[in-house]
Coordinates of all heavy atoms in Angstrom, one line a residue:
M1 N -120.4 -178.9 86.8 CA -120.1 -180.3 86.9 C -120.6 -181.0 85.6 O -121.7 -180.9 85.2 CB -120.8 -180.9 88.1 CG -120.2 -182.2 88.5 SD -120.7 -182.7 90.1 CE -121.6 -184.2 89.8
M2 N -119.6 -181.6 84.9 CA -120.0 -182.3 83.7 C -120.2 -183.7 83.9 O -119.3 -184.4 84.4 CB -118.9 -182.1 82.7 CG -118.7 -180.6 82.3 SD -119.8 -180.0 81.1 CE -119.2 -180.9 79.6
K3 N -121.3 -184.2 83.6 CA -121.5 -185.6 83.7 C -122.2 -186.1 82.5 O -123.4 -185.8 82.2 CB -122.4 -185.9 84.9 CG -122.5 -187.4 85.2 CD -123.4 -187.7 86.4 CE -123.5 -189.2 86.6 NZ -124.4 -189.6 87.6
K4 N -121.5 -186.8 81.7 CA -122.1 -187.3 80.4 C -122.8 -188.6 80.6 O -122.2 -189.6 81.1 CB -121.0 -187.4 79.4 CG -120.6 -186.1 78.7 CD -119.7 -186.4 77.5 CE -119.4 -185.1 76.8 NZ -118.6 -185.3 75.6
A5 N -124.0 -188.6 80.2 CA -124.7 -189.9 80.2 C -124.4 -190.6 78.9 O -124.3 -190.0 77.8 CB -126.2 -189.6 80.3
T6 N -124.4 -191.9 78.9 CA -124.2 -192.6 77.7 C -125.5 -192.7 76.9 O -126.5 -193.2 77.4 CB -123.7 -194.1 78.0 OG1 -124.6 -194.6 79.0 CG2 -122.3 -194.1 78.6
V7 N -125.5 -192.1 75.8 CA -126.7 -191.9 75.0 C -126.6 -193.0 73.9 O -125.7 -192.9 73.0 CB -126.8 -190.5 74.4 CG1 -128.0 -190.5 73.5 CG2 -126.9 -189.5 75.5
K8 N -127.6 -193.8 73.9 CA -127.7 -194.8 72.8 C -128.5 -194.2 71.7 O -129.1 -193.2 71.9 CB -128.3 -196.1 73.4 CG -127.4 -196.8 74.3 CD -128.0 -198.1 74.9 CE -127.1 -198.7 75.9 NZ -127.8 -199.8 76.6
K9 N -128.5 -194.9 70.6 CA -129.2 -194.4 69.5 C -130.7 -194.3 69.7 O -131.3 -193.3 69.4 CB -128.9 -195.3 68.2 CG -129.0 -194.5 67.0 CD -128.5 -195.2 65.8 CE -128.4 -194.4 64.5 NZ -127.9 -195.1 63.4
S10 N -131.2 -195.3 70.3 CA -132.6 -195.2 70.7 C -132.7 -194.4 72.0 O -132.1 -194.6 73.0 CB -133.2 -196.6 71.0 OG -132.4 -197.2 72.0
A11 N -133.6 -193.4 71.9 CA -133.7 -192.4 73.0 C -134.2 -193.0 74.2 O -135.1 -193.8 74.3 CB -134.7 -191.3 72.5
M12 N -133.5 -192.7 75.3 CA -134.0 -193.1 76.6 C -134.2 -191.9 77.5 O -133.3 -191.1 77.6 CB -133.0 -194.0 77.3 CG -133.5 -194.6 78.6 SD -132.2 -195.4 79.6 CE -132.1 -197.0 78.8
Y13 N -135.4 -191.8 78.0 CA -135.7 -190.7 78.9 C -135.4 -191.1 80.3 O -135.6 -192.2 80.8 CB -137.2 -190.3 78.8 CG -137.6 -189.8 77.4 CD1 -138.0 -190.7 76.4 CD2 -137.5 -188.5 77.1 CE1 -138.4 -190.3 75.2 CE2 -137.8 -188.0 75.8 CZ -138.3 -188.9 74.9 OH -138.6 -188.5 73.6
T14 N -135.0 -190.1 81.1 CA -134.7 -190.3 82.5 C -135.7 -189.4 83.3 O -135.8 -188.3 83.1 CB -133.3 -189.9 82.9 OG1 -132.4 -190.7 82.1 CG2 -133.0 -190.2 84.3
I15 N -136.3 -190.1 84.2 CA -137.3 -189.4 85.1 C -136.7 -189.4 86.5 O -136.4 -190.5 87.0 CB -138.6 -190.1 85.1 CG1 -139.2 -190.1 83.7 CG2 -139.6 -189.3 86.1 CD1 -139.7 -188.8 83.2
D16 N -136.5 -188.2 87.1 CA -136.1 -188.1 88.5 C -137.2 -188.0 89.4 O -138.0 -187.0 89.4 CB -135.2 -186.9 88.6 CG -134.5 -186.9 90.0 OD1 -134.9 -187.6 90.9 OD2 -133.5 -186.1 90.1
L17 N -137.4 -189.1 90.2 CA -138.6 -189.1 91.0 C -138.6 -188.1 92.1 O -139.7 -187.7 92.7 CB -138.7 -190.5 91.7 CG -139.1 -191.6 90.7 CD1 -139.1 -192.9 91.5 CD2 -140.4 -191.4 90.1
T18 N -137.4 -187.5 92.4 CA -137.4 -186.5 93.5 C -138.0 -185.2 93.0 O -138.3 -184.3 93.7 CB -136.0 -186.2 93.9 OG1 -135.2 -185.8 92.8 CG2 -135.3 -187.5 94.5
K19 N -138.2 -185.1 91.6 CA -138.7 -183.9 91.1 C -140.2 -184.0 90.7 O -140.8 -183.2 90.1 CB -137.9 -183.5 89.8 CG -136.5 -183.1 90.2 CD -135.6 -182.9 89.0 CE -134.2 -182.5 89.4 NZ -133.3 -182.7 88.3
I20 N -140.8 -185.1 91.1 CA -142.2 -185.3 90.8 C -143.0 -185.2 92.1 O -142.6 -185.8 93.1 CB -142.3 -186.7 90.2 CG1 -141.6 -186.8 88.9 CG2 -143.8 -187.1 90.1 CD1 -141.6 -188.2 88.3
D21 N -144.0 -184.5 92.0 CA -144.9 -184.3 93.2 C -145.9 -185.5 93.2 O -146.2 -186.1 92.2 CB -145.7 -183.0 93.1 CG -144.8 -181.8 93.4 OD1 -143.8 -182.0 94.1 OD2 -145.0 -180.7 92.8
G22 N -146.5 -185.7 94.4 CA -147.5 -186.7 94.5 C -147.0 -188.1 94.7 O -146.0 -188.3 95.3
D23 N -147.7 -189.1 94.1 CA -147.4 -190.5 94.3 C -146.3 -191.1 93.4 O -146.1 -192.3 93.4 CB -148.7 -191.3 94.3 CG -149.3 -191.2 92.9 OD1 -148.8 -190.5 92.0 OD2 -150.4 -191.8 92.7
G24 N -145.7 -190.2 92.6 CA -144.6 -190.7 91.8 C -145.1 -191.0 90.3 O -144.3 -191.5 89.5
A25 N -146.4 -190.8 90.1 CA -146.8 -191.1 88.7 C -146.4 -189.9 87.8 O -146.2 -188.8 88.2 CB -148.4 -191.2 88.7
F26 N -146.1 -190.3 86.6 CA -145.6 -189.2 85.6 C -146.1 -189.6 84.2 O -146.3 -190.8 84.0 CB -144.1 -189.2 85.7 CG -143.5 -190.5 85.2 CD1 -143.1 -190.7 83.9 CD2 -143.2 -191.5 86.2 CE1 -142.6 -192.0 83.5 CE2 -142.6 -192.7 85.8 CZ -142.3 -192.9 84.5
P27 N -146.2 -188.6 83.4 CA -146.6 -188.9 82.0 C -145.4 -189.3 81.2 O -144.3 -188.8 81.4 CB -147.1 -187.5 81.5 CG -146.5 -186.5 82.4 CD -146.2 -187.1 83.7
C28 N -145.7 -190.3 80.3 CA -144.6 -190.7 79.4 C -144.1 -189.5 78.6 O -144.9 -188.7 78.1 CB -145.2 -191.7 78.5 SG -144.1 -192.1 77.1
P29 N -142.8 -189.3 78.6 CA -142.2 -188.1 77.9 C -142.6 -188.0 76.5 O -142.5 -187.0 75.8 CB -140.7 -188.3 78.1 CG -140.6 -189.2 79.3 CD -141.8 -190.1 79.2
K30 N -142.9 -189.1 75.9 CA -143.2 -189.1 74.5 C -144.7 -189.1 74.1 O -145.1 -188.3 73.3 CB -142.6 -190.4 73.8 CG -142.5 -190.3 72.3 CD -141.6 -191.4 71.8 CE -141.4 -191.3 70.3 NZ -140.6 -192.3 69.7
C31 N -145.5 -190.0 74.7 CA -146.9 -190.1 74.4 C -147.8 -189.6 75.4 O -149.0 -189.4 75.2 CB -147.2 -191.5 74.0 SG -147.3 -192.7 75.3
G32 N -147.3 -189.3 76.6 CA -148.2 -188.7 77.6 C -149.0 -189.7 78.5 O -149.7 -189.3 79.4
T33 N -148.8 -191.0 78.2 CA -149.5 -192.0 79.0 C -149.0 -191.9 80.5 O -147.8 -191.8 80.7 CB -149.2 -193.4 78.5 OG1 -149.8 -193.5 77.2 CG2 -149.9 -194.4 79.4
V34 N -149.9 -191.8 81.4 CA -149.5 -191.7 82.8 C -149.0 -193.1 83.3 O -149.6 -194.1 83.2 CB -150.7 -191.3 83.7 CG1 -150.3 -191.3 85.2 CG2 -151.1 -189.9 83.3
I35 N -147.8 -193.0 83.8 CA -147.1 -194.2 84.3 C -146.9 -194.1 85.8 O -146.4 -193.1 86.3 CB -145.8 -194.4 83.6 CG1 -146.0 -194.7 82.1 CG2 -145.0 -195.5 84.3 CD1 -144.8 -194.7 81.3
S36 N -147.4 -195.0 86.5 CA -147.3 -195.0 88.0 C -146.4 -196.2 88.4 O -146.8 -197.3 88.2 CB -148.6 -195.0 88.7 OG -148.5 -195.2 90.1
P37 N -145.3 -195.9 89.1 CA -144.5 -197.0 89.5 C -145.2 -197.9 90.5 O -144.8 -199.0 90.8 CB -143.3 -196.3 90.2 CG -143.3 -194.9 89.6 CD -144.7 -194.6 89.3
D38 N -146.2 -197.4 91.2 CA -146.9 -198.1 92.1 C -148.0 -199.0 91.5 O -148.6 -199.9 92.1 CB -147.6 -197.2 93.1 CG -146.6 -196.5 94.0 OD1 -145.6 -197.1 94.3 OD2 -146.9 -195.4 94.4
D39 N -148.2 -198.8 90.2 CA -149.2 -199.6 89.5 C -148.5 -201.0 89.1 O -147.8 -201.1 88.2 CB -149.6 -198.9 88.2 CG -150.6 -199.7 87.4 OD1 -151.1 -200.7 87.9 OD2 -150.8 -199.4 86.2
E40 N -148.9 -202.0 89.9 CA -148.2 -203.3 89.7 C -148.9 -204.1 88.6 O -148.4 -205.2 88.3 CB -148.1 -204.0 91.0 CG -147.2 -203.3 92.0 CD -147.2 -204.0 93.3 OE1 -147.9 -205.1 93.5 OE2 -146.5 -203.6 94.2
S41 N -149.9 -203.6 88.1 CA -150.6 -204.3 87.0 C -149.8 -204.3 85.7 O -150.0 -205.1 84.8 CB -152.0 -203.8 86.8 OG -151.9 -202.4 86.3
E42 N -148.9 -203.3 85.6 CA -148.1 -203.1 84.5 C -148.9 -203.0 83.2 O -148.5 -203.4 82.1 CB -147.1 -204.3 84.3 CG -146.1 -204.3 85.5 CD -144.9 -205.2 85.1 OE1 -144.8 -205.7 84.0 OE2 -144.0 -205.3 86.0
E43 N -150.0 -202.3 83.3 CA -150.8 -202.1 82.1 C -150.3 -201.0 81.2 O -150.3 -201.2 80.0 CB -152.2 -201.7 82.5 CG -153.2 -202.9 82.7 CD -154.6 -202.4 83.1 OE1 -155.0 -201.4 82.7 OE2 -155.2 -203.2 84.0
A44 N -149.7 -200.0 81.8 CA -149.2 -198.9 81.0 C -147.7 -199.1 80.6 O -147.2 -198.5 79.7 CB -149.4 -197.6 81.7
Y45 N -147.0 -199.9 81.4 CA -145.6 -200.0 81.2 C -145.1 -201.4 81.5 O -145.9 -202.2 82.1 CB -144.8 -199.0 82.1 CG -145.0 -199.4 83.6 CD1 -144.1 -200.2 84.2 CD2 -146.1 -198.9 84.3 CE1 -144.2 -200.5 85.6 CE2 -146.2 -199.2 85.7 CZ -145.3 -200.0 86.3 OH -145.4 -200.3 87.6
Q46 N -143.9 -201.7 81.1 CA -143.3 -203.0 81.4 C -141.9 -202.8 82.0 O -141.1 -202.0 81.4 CB -143.3 -203.8 80.1 CG -142.8 -205.3 80.4 CD -143.0 -206.1 79.2 OE1 -143.0 -205.6 78.1 NE2 -143.1 -207.4 79.4
I47 N -141.7 -203.4 83.1 CA -140.4 -203.2 83.7 C -139.3 -204.0 82.9 O -139.5 -205.2 82.7 CB -140.4 -203.7 85.2 CG1 -141.3 -202.7 86.0 CG2 -139.0 -203.7 85.8 CD1 -141.5 -203.1 87.4
V48 N -138.3 -203.4 82.6 CA -137.2 -204.0 81.8 C -136.1 -204.5 82.8 O -135.6 -205.6 82.7 CB -136.6 -203.1 80.8 CG1 -135.5 -203.7 80.0 CG2 -137.7 -202.6 79.8
E49 N -135.8 -203.6 83.7 CA -134.6 -203.9 84.6 C -134.8 -203.1 85.9 O -135.2 -202.0 85.9 CB -133.3 -203.5 83.9 CG -132.1 -204.0 84.5 CD -130.8 -203.5 83.8 OE1 -130.9 -203.1 82.6 OE2 -129.8 -203.5 84.5
T50 N -134.4 -203.8 86.9 CA -134.4 -203.1 88.2 C -133.0 -203.2 88.8 O -132.3 -204.2 88.7 CB -135.4 -203.7 89.2 OG1 -135.1 -205.1 89.3 CG2 -136.8 -203.5 88.8
K51 N -132.5 -202.1 89.4 CA -131.2 -202.1 90.0 C -131.4 -201.8 91.5 O -132.0 -200.9 91.9 CB -130.3 -201.0 89.5 CG -129.8 -201.4 88.1 CD -128.8 -200.3 87.6 CE -128.3 -200.6 86.2 NZ -127.5 -199.5 85.6
V52 N -130.9 -202.7 92.3 CA -131.1 -202.6 93.7 C -129.8 -202.4 94.4 O -128.8 -203.0 94.1 CB -131.8 -203.9 94.3 CG1 -131.9 -203.9 95.8 CG2 -133.2 -204.1 93.6
K53 N -129.8 -201.5 95.4 CA -128.6 -201.3 96.1 C -129.0 -201.3 97.6 O -129.8 -200.6 98.1 CB -128.1 -199.9 95.8 CG -126.7 -199.6 96.3 CD -126.3 -198.2 95.8 CE -124.9 -197.8 96.2 NZ -124.6 -196.4 95.8
N54 N -128.3 -202.2 98.3 CA -128.6 -202.3 99.8 C -130.1 -202.5 100.1 O -130.6 -201.9 100.9 CB -128.1 -201.1 100.6 CG -126.6 -201.0 100.4 OD1 -125.8 -201.9 100.3 ND2 -126.1 -199.7 100.4
D55 N -130.7 -203.4 99.3 CA -132.1 -203.8 99.5 C -133.0 -202.6 99.1 O -134.2 -202.7 99.3 CB -132.4 -204.2 100.9 CG -131.8 -205.6 101.2 OD1 -131.6 -206.3 100.2 OD2 -131.6 -205.9 102.3
D56 N -132.5 -201.5 98.6 CA -133.3 -200.4 98.2 C -133.3 -200.3 96.7 O -132.3 -200.5 96.1 CB -132.8 -199.1 98.8 CG -133.2 -199.0 100.3 OD1 -134.3 -199.4 100.6 OD2 -132.4 -198.5 101.1
L57 N -134.4 -199.9 96.2 CA -134.5 -199.7 94.7 C -133.7 -198.5 94.3 O -134.0 -197.4 94.8 CB -136.0 -199.6 94.3 CG -136.3 -199.7 92.8 CD1 -135.8 -201.0 92.2 CD2 -137.8 -199.5 92.6
E58 N -132.8 -198.7 93.4 CA -132.0 -197.6 93.0 C -132.4 -197.0 91.7 O -132.4 -195.8 91.4 CB -130.5 -198.0 93.0 CG -129.5 -196.8 92.6 CD -128.1 -197.3 92.6 OE1 -127.9 -198.4 92.0 OE2 -127.2 -196.6 93.1
E59 N -132.7 -197.9 90.8 CA -133.0 -197.5 89.4 C -134.0 -198.5 88.8 O -134.0 -199.7 89.1 CB -131.7 -197.6 88.6 CG -131.4 -196.4 87.8 CD -130.1 -196.5 87.0 OE1 -130.0 -197.3 86.0 OE2 -129.1 -195.9 87.5
L60 N -134.9 -197.9 88.0 CA -135.9 -198.8 87.4 C -136.0 -198.4 85.9 O -136.1 -197.3 85.6 CB -137.2 -198.5 88.1 CG -138.4 -199.5 87.8 CD1 -138.1 -200.9 88.2 CD2 -139.7 -199.0 88.5
I61 N -135.8 -199.4 85.1 CA -135.9 -199.1 83.7 C -137.1 -199.8 83.2 O -137.3 -201.0 83.4 CB -134.6 -199.7 82.9 CG1 -133.4 -198.9 83.4 CG2 -134.8 -199.5 81.4 CD1 -132.1 -199.4 82.8
L62 N -138.0 -199.0 82.5 CA -139.2 -199.6 82.0 C -139.5 -199.1 80.6 O -138.9 -198.1 80.1 CB -140.3 -199.2 83.0 CG -140.5 -197.8 83.4 CD1 -141.4 -197.0 82.4 CD2 -141.2 -197.7 84.7
T63 N -140.4 -199.8 80.0 CA -140.8 -199.4 78.6 C -142.3 -199.1 78.6 O -143.1 -199.8 79.2 CB -140.6 -200.6 77.7 OG1 -139.2 -201.0 77.8 CG2 -140.9 -200.3 76.3
C64 N -142.6 -197.9 78.1 CA -144.0 -197.5 77.9 C -144.6 -198.5 76.9 O -144.1 -198.6 75.8 CB -144.0 -196.1 77.3 SG -145.7 -195.6 76.9
K65 N -145.7 -199.1 77.3 CA -146.3 -200.1 76.4 C -147.0 -199.4 75.2 O -147.2 -200.1 74.2 CB -147.3 -200.9 77.2 CG -146.7 -202.0 77.9 CD -147.7 -203.0 78.4 CE -147.1 -204.2 79.1 NZ -148.1 -205.2 79.6
K66 N -147.3 -198.2 75.3 CA -148.1 -197.5 74.3 C -147.2 -197.1 73.1 O -147.5 -197.3 71.9 CB -148.8 -196.3 74.8 CG -149.8 -195.8 73.8 CD -150.7 -194.8 74.5 CE -151.9 -194.3 73.6 NZ -152.7 -193.3 74.2
C67 N -146.0 -196.5 73.4 CA -145.2 -196.0 72.4 C -143.8 -196.7 72.3 O -143.0 -196.5 71.4 CB -145.0 -194.5 72.5 SG -144.1 -194.0 73.9
G68 N -143.5 -197.5 73.3 CA -142.3 -198.3 73.3 C -141.1 -197.5 73.7 O -139.9 -198.0 73.6
T69 N -141.3 -196.3 74.3 CA -140.1 -195.6 74.8 C -139.5 -196.2 76.0 O -140.3 -196.6 76.9 CB -140.6 -194.1 75.0 OG1 -141.0 -193.5 73.8 CG2 -139.4 -193.3 75.6
T70 N -138.2 -196.2 76.1 CA -137.6 -196.6 77.3 C -137.4 -195.5 78.2 O -136.9 -194.4 77.9 CB -136.2 -197.3 76.9 OG1 -136.4 -198.3 76.0 CG2 -135.5 -197.8 78.2
I71 N -137.8 -195.7 79.5 CA -137.7 -194.7 80.5 C -136.9 -195.2 81.7 O -137.2 -196.3 82.2 CB -139.1 -194.2 80.9 CG1 -139.9 -193.8 79.7 CG2 -139.1 -193.2 82.0 CD1 -141.4 -193.7 80.0
K72 N -136.0 -194.4 82.1 CA -135.2 -194.8 83.3 C -135.7 -193.9 84.5 O -135.7 -192.7 84.4 CB -133.7 -194.5 83.1 CG -132.9 -195.0 84.2 CD -131.4 -195.1 83.8 CE -130.8 -193.8 83.9 NZ -129.3 -193.9 83.7
L73 N -136.1 -194.6 85.6 CA -136.5 -193.9 86.8 C -135.3 -193.9 87.8 O -134.7 -194.9 88.1 CB -137.7 -194.6 87.4 CG -139.0 -194.6 86.7 CD1 -140.1 -195.2 87.5 CD2 -139.4 -193.1 86.4
V74 N -135.0 -192.7 88.3 CA -134.0 -192.6 89.3 C -134.6 -191.8 90.4 O -135.6 -191.2 90.3 CB -132.7 -191.9 88.8 CG1 -132.1 -192.7 87.7 CG2 -133.0 -190.5 88.2
G75 N -133.9 -191.7 91.5 CA -134.3 -190.9 92.7 C -135.0 -191.6 93.8 O -135.5 -191.0 94.7
F76 N -135.0 -192.9 93.7 CA -135.7 -193.7 94.7 C -135.1 -193.5 96.1 O -135.7 -193.6 97.1 CB -135.7 -195.2 94.4 CG -136.5 -195.5 93.2 CD1 -136.0 -195.7 91.9 CD2 -137.9 -195.7 93.3 CE1 -136.7 -196.0 90.8 CE2 -138.7 -196.0 92.2 CZ -138.1 -196.1 91.0
L77 N -133.8 -193.4 96.1 CA -133.0 -193.4 97.3 C -133.0 -192.0 98.0 O -132.4 -191.9 99.1 CB -131.6 -193.9 97.1 CG -131.5 -195.3 96.6 CD1 -130.1 -195.7 96.4 CD2 -132.2 -196.3 97.5
S78 N -133.5 -191.0 97.3 CA -133.3 -189.7 97.8 C -134.3 -189.2 98.9 O -134.2 -188.1 99.4 CB -133.4 -188.7 96.7 OG -132.4 -189.0 95.7
Q79 N -135.3 -190.1 99.2 CA -136.2 -189.7 100.2 C -135.6 -189.7 101.5 O -135.0 -190.7 101.9 CB -137.4 -190.7 100.1 CG -138.2 -190.5 98.9 CD -139.2 -191.7 98.7 OE1 -139.2 -192.6 99.4 NE2 -140.1 -191.6 97.7
P80 N -135.8 -188.6 102.2 CA -135.2 -188.5 103.6 C -135.8 -189.5 104.6 O -137.0 -189.7 104.6 CB -135.5 -187.1 104.0 CG -136.7 -186.7 103.2 CD -136.6 -187.4 101.9
E81 N -135.0 -190.1 105.3 CA -135.5 -191.0 106.3 C -135.3 -190.5 107.7 O -134.2 -189.9 108.0 CB -134.9 -192.4 106.2 CG -135.5 -193.1 104.9 CD -135.2 -194.6 105.1 OE1 -135.0 -195.1 106.2 OE2 -135.3 -195.3 104.0
T82 N -136.2 -190.7 108.6 CA -136.0 -190.2 109.9 C -135.8 -191.3 110.9 O -136.4 -192.4 110.7 CB -137.2 -189.4 110.4 OG1 -138.4 -190.1 110.1 CG2 -137.3 -188.1 109.6
Ligands
ZN1 ZN1 -145.2 -193.6 75.8

């Protein structure tokens, strides 16, 4: 299956939360700073954009404050609900 992502000149990393163990924290792909989506202090990152679908968070775009890399978080909706 071919799915081309639109790649802009400035690199944007995509993190799939379904592939992350634990509480969803992950190291910045570029500088290694640990970024936790649950960290609302936004000390390590800054939220650029949020996409919401049916009241659920679908996509989160944030910027690493340390190196300025743009990171897209996906996979919020994949958690199984009972
Ligand atoms: Zn970084």
Side-chain angles (χ1 to χ4, degrees):
M1 198 167 118
M2 299 278 286
K3 189 181 177 187
K4 276 194 178 178
T6 49
V7 178
K8 292 176 184 175
K9 206 168 188 182
S10 56
M12 184 192 282
Y13 296 90
T14 300
I15 303 285
D16 188 342
L17 290 177
T18 62
K19 292 171 181 162
I20 296 175
D21 291 329
D23 60 359
F26 61 91
C28 168
K30 194 167 186 181
C31 72
T33 298
V34 174
I35 294 171
S36 170
D38 292 329
D39 177 15
E40 291 178 1
S41 65
E42 294 195 5
E43 269 179 35
Y45 66 92
Q46 186 169 26
I47 293 174
V48 178
E49 193 181 338
T50 55
K51 285 186 186 174
V52 175
K53 191 178 184 182
N54 299 328
D55 289 336
D56 285 319
L57 192 58
E58 184 180 44
E59 229 177 76
L60 190 62
I61 298 174
L62 52 86
T63 303
C64 172
K65 276 194 174 177
K66 194 167 184 181
C67 66
T69 298
T70 303
I71 304 164
K72 184 165 85 172
L73 293 182
V74 297
F76 292 98
L77 299 180
S78 302
Q79 290 168 354
E81 287 202 17
T82 50

